[in-house]
Amino acid sequence: MGATEWSDSGINGSNVRERSYMNERYPFSEIEPKWQAFWDEQGFFRVDTRNSDRKYYCLVMFPYPSGTLHVGHGRNYIIGDAVARYKLTQGYRVLTPMGWDAFGLPAENAAKQRGVHPKEWTLNNIAQMKRQIRSWGVGYDWSREIATCHPGYYKWTQWLFLLLYHQGLAYRKNAPVNWCEFCTTLANEEVRSDGTCDRCGRPVTRRMLTQWFFKITEYAQQLLDDLALLDRWPERVRAMQANWLGRSEGARIDFRVAETGDLCTIFTTRPDTIYGVTFMAIAPEHPLVQKLMANHPRRAEVEAFAKRQEMLSVQQRTAETAPKEGVFTGYHVVNPYNGERVPLWVTNYVVMDYGTGAVMAVPAHDQRDFEFARKYGLPIRVVIQDPAHPLDPTTMTAAWVDDGVLVHSGPFTGRGNREAMPDMIRWAKEHGVGDFAVTWKIRDWLISRQRYWGAPIPIVYCPQCGTVPVPESQLPVLLPDDVDFRSEQGNPLARHERFLSTTCPKCGAPARRESDTIAQWLCSCWYFLRYINPRLEDRPFIPDDVNRWLPVDQYIGGIEHAVLHLLYSRFIVKVLHRAGYVAFREPFAALFTQGMICKRSEKDGQLYKMSKSKGNVVSPDELIREYGADTLRLYTLFIGPPEKDAEWSDTAVEGAFRFLNRLWRRGYETLDVLRSAPNEPVDPASLEPDAREVYRKLHETIQKVTRDIEESFHFNTAIAAIMELFNAVERLPISADSPAPRRAAYREMFETIVRLLGPFAPHIAEELWRELGHEQSILKSGWPVARPEALVRDEHELAVQVNGRVRGRIRVPASASHMEIEAMAMKDPNVTRWLEGRQVRKVVVVPGRLVNIATN
RNA sequence: GCCCGGGUGGCGGAAUGGCAGACGCAACGGACUUAAAAUCCGUUUCCGUUUUCGGAGUGCGGGUUCGAGUCCCGCCCCGGGCACCA
């Protein structure tokens, strides 16, 4: 049979079946663009959000338009598309939007280096990446496309800023902030734990600047508590967020400076050790240092020490290897519990950033204090005794941090330290010198950026009225286009006179605009809401619509956003919730974090995350040209469990290609049988044993593939099962002369393989599906469901073990009782050999699996 | 130090407490071909017999169980997050 010319009427008048590509050769480069255009034109991925029956909001993290995509980026979109197509096939109303996280520094750097305007650079990249995403056959509702750099979008990002401002959650303060020479200010979340910039890797220093902050700390408790609602999030992401929030419970206790009466409040998680305090340690930046040392003979020494510490980054100062250092101030503080005077030291190991910047030092029971005390010859007093091996301060080599019995602890002596702790805090409360207290690690969110390519902060500074928010009616505060990047250093907006000079919205007097822009993280904190009403002009979204479509049913993205984007988005949604705009408290009901795709570097043979800077990227464009999008998709899903990192292999891609070729060829070679076979369910009993077995495997595979997708997104094992089924189908002899039931079963097998592949390799699936004579798209075909009667076995092969090792095999009727199975197992000649001379102690029968005979 | 993952053939990986190594890659042998590619068939955990078979084997050491890659206890190693966090 050659290429057949046939056609049908297509659907909805669109004649896509004009010609058949049925040929020995698998024509991916012809069929892929054809079906992409078809799905697009027919609007398979467009959804009317006014109707939310059986809604399924499937969202992939939108990309930053950095240029071109590599196959590592593709994993995200391919997984999302597989899920969306699966749900769509099941008849869900699936919302799968796509957009661009389009503000950010790379655009500005390109402008400086190449003289391209950031807008032009960004829009070009969007066009490029959109073409790539389309070429993968990933289906989106493009009518909802958004770009955060569009004034129609950032108007509402500014609105969000103002909402926080009016809620008292946005404030401006002069504070030491993280500073990267290249990227300007950074939020704490953007600084890696080694003290380098998360974006560019340069060292981060501290700088005093007046900046805008969001009070995310006010929501710390809720952000922590509501993690419990996120039972469909990966455990490790919840752990990372809890870690980052860093709640710790303890007490606040007021010490006073003996000589001046100044208050020196500390936070401790171990108030039970209060009677062991032998000195006080405060941070060099602590306000008391300046105040106390002003006219003190030790001033020079102490200030020199403090200056030296302030020059260092927190990371340098507090590195594991940095030795503990300090200097005595000449002052003392009074322990409110026992009235004791202990010396006040300025130390490098206490930081101003956490707690109160002052620490009651208990060398006997804190390792850091212990090391410091040993170094400077300060006393060590044991107040918790190890009942088994009493501690002796003169011989201790490390702090005792475990629990024990309180000693030398005034009225609390003799009690267990854990048990007494609440009473000890209560004592402080009763005496007005302290209380229970909670401290968090998370700091307020630094939102200002000294950059051009972002949404301007909608604030005006008026000489009369002070800080004035721009009224909503005057939004958006437009980013001016006419900026010269080459000739300017720093933020060009700060020198753009026509932008800066304005009038006060309150009094009309001449005023100045804020020149900082909003961190791009805020832009991506609410985009999932905007997708519901993307073109709305008078509001950011319609609450009713948003409440029906959110939370997002499935969010898919990279683990690198575990804290940053995901924590910020949760915060913003909670703010909107409290302000009455949305009914839900959490934006993403389920989260899936895919692993990174890595590739071995040709230079050093090491495995690295695919990135342009490492030079180990694989371009999807070439692969699609050579093998087609379906091959690329199939391989990407087959590479391994999607939540884990994976190593890209160019040769393994060919395996996926080979499989699709075999499938195509098989379809071509048996097209006559397939088309002429009865298209109806088969009675398994009417099949010959070989066909019956494969028919059962078919239905087992439907079950397995469905379960793998539903339970864990384990597309790798789903695809393996389809391959296994196809291998079995290929070995099944079939011809036009085969009996009707056999041909019908064969047709069902082949068609089902095509349908199961639909979410993974949609183009070839759609093409073969149509070639088999179906008029409707495969997306309308429904998801296959296993037939119980096809799954029935009337015979089982059981392994027979003797003492846990397989010695023989028996075939038993499915109806056989345990007694009968046991008898048959005992009779098997391979088994009797191993039973000779032994006494049977116990026989275990596992239905359908094995028999184990235990002997003496 | 604390909190998450993870450790299985040459490689990626698979296994509701039930026959370890599915599926794929690579390698090797064979068929087809003048030849090569492609394709198809077969072999491929290790050790010994080299087929019929037996033994060992899922990071290490114990344990529970008729039966452990899987569960429990104690370790080692690798990756990630947090960290002089008071």
Side-chain angles (χ1 to χ4, degrees), chain A residues 121 224 262 277 339 520 538 540 725:
Chain A
W121 184 85
L224 181 65
D262 280 303
V277 174
Q520 79 185 104
D538 59 340
L725 171 64

Side-chain angles (χ1 to χ4, degrees), chain A residues 77 107 199 203 225 501 607 617 847:
Chain A
Y77 313 115
R199 186 172 279 282
D225 290 346
S501 106
L607 204 56
V617 294

